[in-house]
Amino acid sequence: MNIVIFGAPGSGKGTQSERLIDRYGLHHISTGELLRDHIARGTRLGKIADTYISQGQLIPDQLMLEVLGEIFKEQPETAARGVIFDGFPRTIAQAEALEKMLKGYGTEVHAVIGLEVDEDELVRRMLERGKASGRSDDNIDTIRRRLDVYHSQTAPLRDFYRAKGTYHPIDGNGELERIAGDIASCLDNFKDN
Ligand code: AP5
Ligand code: MG
């Protein structure tokens, strides 16, 4: 089973992914974590990514796709085991490329879990995290830009996946455990059918 965990910045993609890994034994690919790791190691990619991330902008599709392609090439068993994609795809071009790539491994995106959270709550969560995260994008100006980028470039993917019948909206406001329970019910239901 390949799952995309989808939602605005701060919607809980990383938090809920951790639970799904335990429950379903899936491989977690967070493109944000991957890029932050490159930044921390000072790689060529990290240096490029840093300029975009600290401005709240997406890194170019081509670059993002190269990084992802490399992971699959290095660990071909990843696709077979099933993946939770967190923070990817973020543009229609990325979604189309993902479809093509998974097809090459004889698989597809089975479900897209859309965490839907009120905007003021997103801002509150990211500002709270920013007190300790050290993330260059957890400040109010960059948070606003990330939300704008989400609405203009990423939110259209909801319609892309709705048209395929794979988009499952989940209320991402409120208690962590309740949200995790709603996601599990959705996926268990899906697995049984
Ligand atoms: P990325 O790392 O993906 O960040 P993001 O999408 O902005 O989202 P976050 O990681 O901030 O939030 P999240 O949804 O994971 O929520 P979390 O669980 O942490 O991307 C960062 C940047 O990298 C992008 O801006 C872009 O520049 C670049 N990038 C990444 N992928 C890319 C791609 N595919 N293409 C191009 N560029 C890309 O939760 C947030 C906080 O809230 C935490 O502190 C958490 O503890 C708390 N929390 C979670 N759930 C709850 C709850 N229910 N109640 C209260 N608090 C909660
Ligand atoms: Mg995250």
Side-chain angles (χ1 to χ4, degrees), residues 1-4 16-29 78-85 110-111 183 187 191:
M1 186 159 65
N2 294 305
I3 298 167
V4 170
Q16 296 296 336
S17 291
E18 294 302 324
R19 287 152 187 264
L20 294 174
I21 302 164
D22 294 344
R23 191 178 173 100
Y24 299 103
L26 298 168
H27 183 77
H28 181 205
I29 297 182
T78 300
R81 194 171 127 201
V83 177
I84 303 173
F85 294 96
H110 297 95
I183 297 174
L187 292 177
K191 265 175 56 191

Side-chain angles (χ1 to χ4, degrees), residues 86-139:
D86 158 2
F88 182 91
R90 259 176 147 97
T91 61
I92 300 281
Q94 290 183 11
E96 286 170 344
L98 177 63
E99 200 166 74
K100 204 166 149 197
M101 191 163 67
L102 290 177
K103 204 169 174 189
Y105 290 94
T107 187
E108 62 186 343
V109 169
H110 297 95
V112 177
I113 297 292
L115 293 173
E116 308 205 333
V117 179
D118 299 339
E119 196 119 334
D120 51 355
E121 170 67 2
L122 295 171
V123 174
R124 191 195 66 74
R125 288 183 190 175
M126 286 185 275
L127 284 178
E128 183 60 32
R129 181 179 57 193
K131 290 178 188 166
S133 69
R135 271 178 63 160
S136 64
D137 56 354
D138 277 345
N139 59 77

Side-chain angles (χ1 to χ4, degrees), residues 8-15 17 28 30 32-33 36 86-87 90 129 135 146:
S11 57
K13 301 183 294 295
T15 306
S17 291
H28 181 205
S30 160
E33 294 294 337
R36 281 188 288 277
D86 158 2
R90 259 176 147 97
R129 181 179 57 193
R135 271 178 63 160
R146 286 158 71 195

